[in-house]
Structure formats: structure tokens, C-alpha cells
Coordinates of all heavy atoms in Angstrom, one line a residue:
M1479 N 0.8 -1.2 0.0 CA 0.0 0.0 0.0 C 0.9 1.2 0.0 O 1.8 1.4 0.8 CB -0.9 0.0 1.2 CG -1.8 -1.2 1.3 SD -3.0 -1.2 2.7 CE -1.9 -0.7 4.0
N1480 N 0.6 2.1 -0.9 CA 1.4 3.3 -1.1 C 0.5 4.5 -1.3 O -0.7 4.4 -1.5 CB 2.3 3.2 -2.3 CG 3.4 2.1 -2.2 OD1 4.2 2.1 -1.2 ND2 3.3 1.1 -3.0
V1481 N 1.1 5.7 -1.1 CA 0.4 7.0 -1.2 C 1.1 7.8 -2.2 O 2.3 7.9 -2.2 CB 0.4 7.7 0.2 CG1 -0.3 9.1 0.0 CG2 -0.3 6.9 1.2
R1482 N 0.3 8.4 -3.2 CA 0.8 9.4 -4.1 C 0.6 10.8 -3.5 O -0.5 11.2 -3.3 CB 0.2 9.3 -5.4 CG 0.8 10.3 -6.5 CD 0.2 10.1 -7.8 NE 0.5 8.8 -8.4 CZ -0.4 7.8 -8.6 NH1 -1.7 8.0 -8.3 NH2 -0.1 6.7 -9.1
K1483 N 1.7 11.4 -3.2 CA 1.7 12.8 -2.6 C 1.4 13.8 -3.7 O 1.4 13.5 -4.9 CB 3.0 13.1 -1.9 CG 3.3 12.1 -0.8 CD 4.7 12.4 -0.2 CE 4.5 13.4 0.9 NZ 5.7 13.6 1.6
R1484 N 1.1 15.0 -3.3 CA 0.8 16.1 -4.3 C 1.9 16.3 -5.3 O 1.7 16.7 -6.4 CB 0.4 17.3 -3.6 CG -1.0 17.3 -2.9 CD -1.4 18.6 -2.4 NE -2.7 18.5 -1.8 CZ -3.0 18.0 -0.6 NH1 -2.0 17.7 0.2 NH2 -4.2 18.0 -0.1
S1485 N 3.1 16.1 -4.8 CA 4.3 16.3 -5.7 C 4.4 15.2 -6.7 O 5.2 15.3 -7.6 CB 5.6 16.3 -4.8 OG 5.8 15.0 -4.2
G1486 N 3.6 14.1 -6.6 CA 3.7 13.0 -7.5 C 4.6 11.8 -6.9 O 4.5 10.7 -7.4
K1487 N 5.3 12.1 -5.9 CA 6.2 11.1 -5.3 C 5.3 10.1 -4.6 O 4.3 10.3 -3.9 CB 7.1 11.8 -4.2 CG 8.0 10.8 -3.6 CD 8.9 11.6 -2.6 CE 9.9 10.6 -2.0 NZ 10.8 11.3 -1.0
V1488 N 5.7 8.8 -4.8 CA 4.9 7.7 -4.1 C 5.7 7.2 -2.9 O 6.9 6.9 -3.0 CB 4.7 6.5 -5.1 CG1 4.1 5.3 -4.5 CG2 3.9 7.0 -6.3
V1489 N 5.1 7.1 -1.8 CA 5.7 6.7 -0.5 C 4.8 5.6 0.2 O 3.7 5.5 -0.1 CB 5.9 7.9 0.5 CG1 6.8 9.0 -0.1 CG2 4.5 8.5 0.9
P1490 N 5.4 4.8 1.0 CA 4.7 3.8 1.7 C 3.6 4.4 2.6 O 3.8 5.5 3.2 CB 5.7 3.1 2.6 CG 7.0 3.4 1.9 CD 6.9 4.8 1.3
F1491 N 2.5 3.8 2.7 CA 1.4 4.2 3.6 C 1.8 4.1 5.0 O 2.4 3.1 5.4 CB 0.1 3.4 3.3 CG -1.0 3.7 4.3 CD1 -1.7 4.8 4.1 CD2 -1.3 2.8 5.3 CE1 -2.8 5.1 5.0 CE2 -2.3 3.1 6.2 CZ -3.1 4.2 6.0
D1492 N 1.5 5.1 5.8 CA 1.8 5.1 7.3 C 0.6 5.7 8.0 O 0.3 6.9 7.9 CB 3.0 5.9 7.6 CG 3.4 5.9 9.0 OD1 2.7 5.3 9.8 OD2 4.5 6.4 9.3
A1493 N -0.2 4.9 8.7 CA -1.4 5.3 9.4 C -1.1 6.4 10.4 O -2.0 7.1 10.8 CB -2.1 4.1 10.0
E1494 N 0.1 6.4 10.9 CA 0.5 7.4 11.9 C 0.3 8.8 11.4 O -0.1 9.8 12.1 CB 1.9 7.2 12.3 CG 2.4 8.1 13.5 CD 1.5 8.0 14.7 OE1 1.0 6.9 15.0 OE2 1.3 9.0 15.4
F1495 N 0.4 9.1 10.1 CA 0.1 10.4 9.5 C -1.3 10.8 9.7 O -1.7 11.9 10.0 CB 0.5 10.5 8.1 CG 2.0 10.6 7.8 CD1 2.7 9.4 7.5 CD2 2.7 11.8 7.9 CE1 4.1 9.5 7.3 CE2 4.0 11.9 7.8 CZ 4.8 10.8 7.4
I1496 N -2.2 9.8 9.5 CA -3.7 10.1 9.7 C -3.9 10.4 11.2 O -4.6 11.3 11.5 CB -4.5 8.9 9.2 CG1 -4.3 8.7 7.7 CG2 -6.0 9.0 9.6 CD1 -4.9 7.4 7.2
S1497 N -3.4 9.5 12.0 CA -3.6 9.7 13.5 C -3.1 11.1 13.9 O -3.8 11.8 14.7 CB -2.9 8.6 14.2 OG -3.0 8.7 15.6
R1498 N -2.0 11.5 13.4 CA -1.4 12.8 13.9 C -2.3 13.9 13.3 O -2.6 14.9 14.1 CB 0.0 12.9 13.4 CG 0.7 14.2 13.9 CD 2.2 14.3 13.6 NE 2.6 13.8 12.3 CZ 3.4 12.7 12.1 NH1 3.8 12.0 13.1 NH2 3.7 12.4 10.9
A1499 N -2.7 13.8 12.1 CA -3.6 14.9 11.5 C -4.9 15.0 12.3 O -5.4 16.1 12.6 CB -3.8 14.7 10.0
V1500 N -5.5 13.9 12.5 CA -6.8 13.9 13.3 C -6.6 14.4 14.7 O -7.4 15.1 15.2 CB -7.4 12.5 13.2 CG1 -8.7 12.4 14.1 CG2 -7.8 12.1 11.8
S1501 N -5.5 14.0 15.3 CA -5.2 14.5 16.6 C -5.1 16.0 16.7 O -5.6 16.6 17.6 CB -3.9 13.8 17.2 OG -3.6 14.2 18.4
L1502 N -4.3 16.6 15.8 CA -4.2 18.0 15.7 C -5.5 18.7 15.5 O -5.8 19.7 16.1 CB -3.2 18.4 14.6 CG -1.7 18.0 14.9 CD1 -0.8 18.2 13.7 CD2 -1.2 18.8 16.1
A1503 N -6.3 18.2 14.5 CA -7.6 18.8 14.3 C -8.5 18.7 15.4 O -9.3 19.6 15.8 CB -8.2 18.1 13.0
S1504 N -8.5 17.5 16.1 CA -9.4 17.3 17.3 C -9.0 18.3 18.4 O -9.9 18.7 19.1 CB -9.5 15.9 17.7 OG -8.3 15.5 18.2
A1505 N -7.7 18.5 18.6 CA -7.3 19.3 19.6 C -7.7 20.8 19.4 O -8.1 21.5 20.3 CB -5.7 19.2 19.8
A1506 N -7.5 21.2 18.1 CA -8.0 22.5 17.7 C -9.5 22.7 17.9 O -9.9 23.8 18.2 CB -7.6 22.8 16.3
A1507 N -10.2 21.6 17.7 CA -11.7 21.7 17.8 C -12.2 21.5 19.2 O -13.4 21.7 19.4 CB -12.3 20.7 16.8
G1508 N -11.3 21.1 20.1 CA -11.8 20.9 21.5 C -12.5 19.6 21.6 O -13.2 19.4 22.6
E1509 N -12.3 18.6 20.7 CA -12.9 17.3 20.7 C -11.9 16.2 20.9 O -12.1 15.0 20.6 CB -13.7 17.0 19.5 CG -14.9 17.8 19.2 CD -15.6 17.5 18.0 OE1 -15.0 16.9 17.0 OE2 -16.8 17.7 17.9
H1510 N -10.7 16.6 21.5 CA -9.6 15.6 21.6 C -10.0 14.4 22.5 O -10.3 14.6 23.7 CB -8.4 16.3 22.1 CG -7.1 15.5 22.0 ND1 -6.4 15.4 20.8 CD2 -6.5 14.7 22.9 CE1 -5.4 14.6 21.0 NE2 -5.4 14.2 22.2
D1511 N -9.9 13.2 21.9 CA -10.1 12.0 22.6 C -9.3 10.9 22.0 O -9.6 10.5 20.8 CB -11.6 11.7 22.6 CG -12.0 10.3 23.2 OD1 -11.1 9.7 23.9 OD2 -13.1 9.9 23.0
E1512 N -8.4 10.4 22.7 CA -7.4 9.4 22.1 C -8.1 8.1 21.5 O -7.7 7.7 20.5 CB -6.4 9.0 23.1 CG -5.4 10.1 23.5 CD -4.5 10.6 22.3 OE1 -4.2 9.7 21.4 OE2 -4.2 11.8 22.3
D1513 N -9.1 7.7 22.2 CA -9.9 6.5 21.7 C -10.6 6.8 20.4 O -10.6 5.9 19.5 CB -10.9 6.0 22.8 CG -10.2 5.4 24.0 OD1 -9.1 5.0 23.9 OD2 -10.9 5.4 25.1
T1514 N -11.2 8.0 20.3 CA -11.8 8.3 19.0 C -10.8 8.5 17.9 O -11.1 8.1 16.8 CB -12.7 9.6 19.2 OG1 -13.6 9.4 20.3 CG2 -13.4 10.0 18.0
I1515 N -9.7 9.1 18.2 CA -8.6 9.2 17.2 C -8.2 7.9 16.7 O -8.1 7.7 15.5 CB -7.4 10.0 17.8 CG1 -7.9 11.5 18.1 CG2 -6.3 10.0 16.8 CD1 -6.9 12.2 18.9
A1516 N -8.0 6.9 17.6 CA -7.6 5.6 17.2 C -8.7 4.9 16.4 O -8.4 4.2 15.4 CB -7.2 4.8 18.4
D1517 N -9.9 5.1 16.8 CA -11.1 4.5 16.1 C -11.2 5.1 14.7 O -11.4 4.3 13.7 CB -12.3 4.8 16.9 CG -13.5 4.0 16.4 OD1 -13.4 2.9 15.9 OD2 -14.6 4.6 16.4
V1518 N -11.0 6.4 14.5 CA -11.1 7.0 13.2 C -9.9 6.5 12.4 O -10.1 6.2 11.2 CB -11.1 8.6 13.3 CG1 -10.9 9.2 12.0 CG2 -12.4 9.1 14.0
T1519 N -8.7 6.5 12.9 CA -7.6 6.0 12.1 C -7.8 4.6 11.6 O -7.5 4.3 10.4 CB -6.3 6.2 13.0 OG1 -6.1 7.5 13.4 CG2 -5.1 5.7 12.2
Q1520 N -8.3 3.8 12.5 CA -8.5 2.4 12.1 C -9.6 2.3 11.0 O -9.5 1.5 10.0 CB -8.9 1.5 13.3 CG -9.1 0.0 13.0 CD -9.5 -0.7 14.2 OE1 -9.5 -0.3 15.3 NE2 -9.9 -2.0 13.9
A1521 N -10.7 3.0 11.2 CA -11.8 3.0 10.2 C -11.3 3.5 8.8 O -11.7 2.9 7.8 CB -12.9 3.8 10.7
V1522 N -10.5 4.5 8.8 CA -10.0 5.1 7.6 C -9.1 4.0 6.9 O -9.2 3.8 5.7 CB -9.2 6.4 7.8 CG1 -8.5 6.8 6.6 CG2 -10.2 7.5 8.2
T1523 N -8.2 3.4 7.7 CA -7.3 2.4 7.1 C -8.1 1.2 6.5 O -7.8 0.8 5.4 CB -6.3 1.9 8.2 OG1 -5.6 3.1 8.7 CG2 -5.3 0.9 7.7
E1524 N -9.1 0.8 7.2 CA -9.9 -0.3 6.7 C -10.6 0.1 5.4 O -10.8 -0.7 4.5 CB -10.9 -0.8 7.8 CG -10.3 -1.5 8.9 CD -11.2 -1.8 10.1 OE1 -12.4 -1.5 10.0 OE2 -10.7 -2.3 11.1
K1525 N -11.2 1.3 5.4 CA -11.9 1.7 4.2 C -11.0 1.8 3.0 O -11.3 1.4 1.9 CB -12.5 3.1 4.4 CG -13.8 3.1 5.2 CD -14.3 4.5 5.4 CE -15.5 4.6 6.3 NZ -16.0 6.0 6.4
L1526 N -9.8 2.3 3.2 CA -8.8 2.4 2.1 C -8.4 1.0 1.7 O -8.3 0.8 0.4 CB -7.5 3.2 2.6 CG -7.8 4.7 2.8 CD1 -6.6 5.3 3.5 CD2 -8.1 5.4 1.5
K1527 N -8.2 0.1 2.6 CA -7.8 -1.3 2.2 C -8.9 -1.9 1.4 O -8.6 -2.7 0.5 CB -7.4 -2.1 3.4 CG -6.1 -1.8 4.0 CD -5.8 -2.6 5.3 CE -4.5 -2.3 5.9 NZ -4.2 -3.1 7.1
A1528 N -10.1 -1.7 1.7 CA -11.3 -2.2 1.0 C -11.3 -1.8 -0.4 O -11.9 -2.5 -1.3 CB -12.6 -1.9 1.7
R1529 N -10.7 -0.7 -0.8 CA -10.7 -0.2 -2.1 C -9.8 -1.1 -3.0 O -9.9 -1.0 -4.2 CB -10.2 1.2 -2.2 CG -11.1 2.2 -1.5 CD -10.5 3.6 -1.4 NE -10.3 4.2 -2.7 CZ -11.1 5.0 -3.3 NH1 -12.2 5.5 -2.7 NH2 -10.8 5.5 -4.5
K1530 N -8.9 -1.9 -2.4 CA -8.1 -2.8 -3.1 C -7.2 -2.1 -4.2 O -7.1 -2.6 -5.3 CB -8.8 -4.0 -3.7 CG -9.5 -4.8 -2.6 CD -10.1 -6.0 -3.1 CE -11.0 -6.8 -2.1 NZ -10.3 -7.3 -1.0
E1531 N -6.7 -0.9 -3.9 CA -5.9 -0.2 -4.8 C -4.4 -0.3 -4.3 O -4.2 -0.3 -3.1 CB -6.3 1.3 -4.9 CG -7.7 1.4 -5.5 CD -8.2 2.8 -5.4 OE1 -7.5 3.7 -5.0 OE2 -9.3 3.1 -5.9
E1532 N -3.5 -0.3 -5.2 CA -2.1 -0.4 -4.9 C -1.6 1.0 -4.4 O -0.8 1.1 -3.5 CB -1.3 -0.8 -6.1 CG 0.2 -1.1 -5.8 CD 0.4 -2.3 -4.9 OE1 -0.4 -3.2 -4.9 OE2 1.4 -2.2 -4.2
I1533 N -2.1 2.1 -5.0 CA -1.7 3.4 -4.7 C -2.9 4.3 -4.4 O -3.8 4.3 -5.3 CB -0.8 4.0 -5.8 CG1 0.5 3.2 -6.0 CG2 -0.4 5.5 -5.4 CD1 1.3 3.6 -7.2
W1534 N -2.9 5.0 -3.3 CA -4.0 6.0 -3.1 C -3.4 7.4 -3.2 O -2.3 7.7 -2.8 CB -4.5 5.8 -1.6 CG -5.0 4.4 -1.3 CD1 -5.9 3.7 -1.9 CD2 -4.6 3.7 -0.2 NE1 -6.1 2.5 -1.3 CE2 -5.3 2.4 -0.2 CE3 -3.7 3.8 0.9 CZ2 -5.2 1.4 0.7 CZ3 -3.5 2.8 1.8 CH2 -4.3 1.6 1.7
D1535 N -4.2 8.2 -3.8 CA -3.9 9.6 -3.9 C -4.2 10.3 -2.5 O -5.1 9.9 -1.8 CB -4.7 10.4 -4.9 CG -4.4 10.0 -6.4 OD1 -3.2 9.7 -6.6 OD2 -5.3 9.9 -7.2
I1536 N -3.4 11.3 -2.1 CA -3.6 12.0 -0.9 C -5.0 12.5 -0.7 O -5.5 12.5 0.4 CB -2.4 13.0 -0.6 CG1 -2.4 13.5 0.8 CG2 -2.6 14.2 -1.6 CD1 -1.8 12.4 1.7
E1537 N -5.5 13.0 -1.9 CA -6.9 13.5 -1.8 C -7.9 12.5 -1.4 O -8.9 12.8 -0.7 CB -7.3 14.2 -3.1 CG -6.5 15.4 -3.4 CD -5.1 15.2 -4.1 OE1 -4.8 14.0 -4.4 OE2 -4.4 16.1 -4.2
T1538 N -7.7 11.2 -1.9 CA -8.6 10.2 -1.5 C -8.5 9.9 0.0 O -9.6 9.6 0.6 CB -8.2 8.9 -2.3 OG1 -8.3 9.1 -3.7 CG2 -9.1 7.7 -1.9
I1539 N -7.3 9.9 0.5 CA -7.2 9.7 1.9 C -7.9 10.8 2.7 O -8.6 10.5 3.7 CB -5.7 9.6 2.3 CG1 -5.1 8.4 1.6 CG2 -5.5 9.5 3.8 CD1 -3.6 8.2 1.8
Q1540 N -7.6 12.0 2.3 CA -8.3 13.1 3.0 C -9.8 13.1 3.0 O -10.5 13.3 4.0 CB -7.8 14.5 2.4 CG -6.3 14.8 2.8 CD -5.8 16.0 2.1 OE1 -6.2 16.4 1.0 NE2 -5.0 16.7 2.8
D1541 N -10.3 12.7 1.8 CA -11.8 12.6 1.7 C -12.3 11.5 2.6 O -13.4 11.7 3.2 CB -12.2 12.3 0.3 CG -12.0 13.5 -0.7 OD1 -11.7 14.6 -0.2 OD2 -12.0 13.3 -1.9
T1542 N -11.6 10.4 2.7 CA -12.0 9.3 3.5 C -11.9 9.7 5.0 O -12.8 9.3 5.8 CB -11.1 8.0 3.2 OG1 -11.1 7.8 1.8 CG2 -11.6 6.9 4.0
V1543 N -10.9 10.5 5.4 CA -10.8 10.9 6.8 C -12.0 11.8 7.1 O -12.7 11.6 8.1 CB -9.5 11.7 7.1 CG1 -9.6 12.4 8.4 CG2 -8.3 10.8 6.9
E1544 N -12.3 12.8 6.2 CA -13.5 13.7 6.5 C -14.8 12.9 6.6 O -15.6 13.1 7.5 CB -13.6 14.7 5.4 CG -12.4 15.7 5.5 CD -12.5 16.7 4.3 OE1 -13.4 16.7 3.5 OE2 -11.5 17.5 4.2
E1545 N -15.0 12.0 5.7 CA -16.2 11.1 5.6 C -16.3 10.3 7.0 O -17.4 10.3 7.6 CB -16.1 10.2 4.5 CG -17.2 9.1 4.4 CD -16.9 8.1 3.3 OE1 -17.0 8.6 2.1 OE2 -16.6 7.0 3.6
T1546 N -15.2 9.8 7.4 CA -15.2 9.0 8.6 C -15.5 9.9 9.9 O -16.2 9.5 10.8 CB -13.9 8.2 8.8 OG1 -13.7 7.4 7.6 CG2 -13.9 7.3 10.0
L1547 N -14.9 11.1 9.9 CA -15.1 12.0 11.0 C -16.6 12.3 11.1 O -17.2 12.4 12.2 CB -14.3 13.2 10.9 CG -12.8 13.1 11.1 CD1 -12.0 14.3 10.7 CD2 -12.6 12.8 12.6
F1548 N -17.3 12.5 10.0 CA -18.7 12.8 10.0 C -19.5 11.6 10.4 O -20.4 11.7 11.2 CB -19.2 13.3 8.6 CG -19.0 14.7 8.4 CD1 -18.0 15.2 7.6 CD2 -19.9 15.7 8.9 CE1 -17.8 16.5 7.3 CE2 -19.7 17.0 8.7 CZ -18.7 17.5 7.9
E1549 N -19.1 10.4 10.0 CA -19.8 9.2 10.4 C -19.7 9.0 11.9 O -20.6 8.5 12.6 CB -19.2 8.0 9.7 CG -19.6 7.9 8.3 CD -18.8 6.8 7.5 OE1 -18.0 6.1 8.1 OE2 -19.1 6.7 6.3
K1550 N -18.6 9.4 12.5 CA -18.3 9.3 14.0 C -18.8 10.5 14.7 O -18.6 10.6 15.9 CB -16.8 9.1 14.2 CG -16.2 8.0 13.5 CD -16.6 6.7 14.1 CE -15.8 5.5 13.4 NZ -16.2 4.2 13.8
K1551 N -19.5 11.3 14.0 CA -20.2 12.6 14.6 C -19.1 13.5 15.2 O -19.4 14.2 16.2 CB -21.2 12.2 15.6 CG -22.4 11.4 15.0 CD -23.4 11.1 16.0 CE -24.7 10.5 15.4 NZ -24.6 9.3 14.6
C1552 N -17.9 13.6 14.7 CA -16.9 14.5 15.1 C -16.9 15.7 14.2 O -15.9 16.0 13.5 CB -15.5 13.8 15.0 SG -15.4 12.3 16.1
Y1553 N -18.0 16.4 14.2 CA -18.3 17.5 13.3 C -17.2 18.6 13.4 O -16.8 19.1 12.4 CB -19.7 18.0 13.4 CG -20.7 17.0 13.3 CD1 -21.6 16.6 14.3 CD2 -20.9 16.2 12.1 CE1 -22.5 15.6 14.2 CE2 -21.8 15.2 12.0 CZ -22.6 14.9 13.0 OH -23.6 13.9 12.9
Q1554 N -16.9 19.0 14.6 CA -16.0 20.2 14.8 C -14.5 19.7 14.3 O -13.8 20.5 13.8 CB -16.0 20.6 16.2 CG -17.3 21.3 16.7 CD -17.7 22.4 15.8 OE1 -16.9 23.3 15.4 NE2 -19.0 22.4 15.4
T1555 N -14.2 18.5 14.6 CA -12.9 18.0 14.2 C -12.8 17.9 12.7 O -11.8 18.3 12.1 CB -12.6 16.6 14.8 OG1 -12.6 16.7 16.2 CG2 -11.3 16.0 14.3
A1556 N -13.9 17.5 12.0 CA -14.0 17.5 10.6 C -13.8 18.9 10.0 O -13.1 19.1 9.0 CB -15.3 16.8 10.1
K1557 N -14.5 19.8 10.6 CA -14.4 21.2 10.1 C -12.9 21.7 10.3 O -12.4 22.4 9.4 CB -15.3 22.1 10.9 CG -15.4 23.5 10.4 CD -16.4 24.3 11.3 CE -16.4 25.7 10.8 NZ -17.4 26.5 11.5
A1558 N -12.3 21.4 11.4 CA -10.9 21.8 11.6 C -9.9 21.1 10.7 O -8.8 21.6 10.4 CB -10.5 21.6 13.1
Y1559 N -10.3 19.8 10.4 CA -9.4 19.0 9.5 C -9.3 19.6 8.2 O -8.3 19.7 7.6 CB -9.9 17.6 9.4 CG -9.1 16.7 8.6 CD1 -7.9 16.1 9.1 CD2 -9.5 16.4 7.3 CE1 -7.2 15.2 8.3 CE2 -8.7 15.5 6.5 CZ -7.6 15.0 7.0 OH -6.8 14.2 6.2

């Protein structure tokens, strides 16, 4: 599993980047909860794997994070993200 960055460079997927981004957004939104962050990160990773694609564009990952935040009712975090 790899990620195509905006520059076009392809790098290995690392779920920690998602976790860190959601953590920063949730802290900014005042919804910071480590369990929710882990849950969102896991859900995003599972959704991406279900796509069965070798390379994901960064925009696809971002859209999946936003979608998952809304599903988990983390509206302020989604807005900050």
C-alpha cells in the first residue's frame, strides 16, 4: 500500500500520519479523545484497504478521513481538519 503525494512522489502508507492529523484537528476543535482518534484512524485504514488499490492519492485519503469523521459525529474535528 502506497500513497501518491501532491508532488507525485509515491511513498509507503503510514497510518500514523492520519492519526497525527486527526489528533491536531481534534485538539484545535476541542474534541480531543485518544480513543476516538484511534477509532477514526482504524476505520479510515480499513476503508482504504477495502478499495483494493495499490496506490492511493492523498486527496482520496483526506476525503476518507473527512467522511469517517462525519460518520463518527466528530463534526468540529472534521471542520478543523
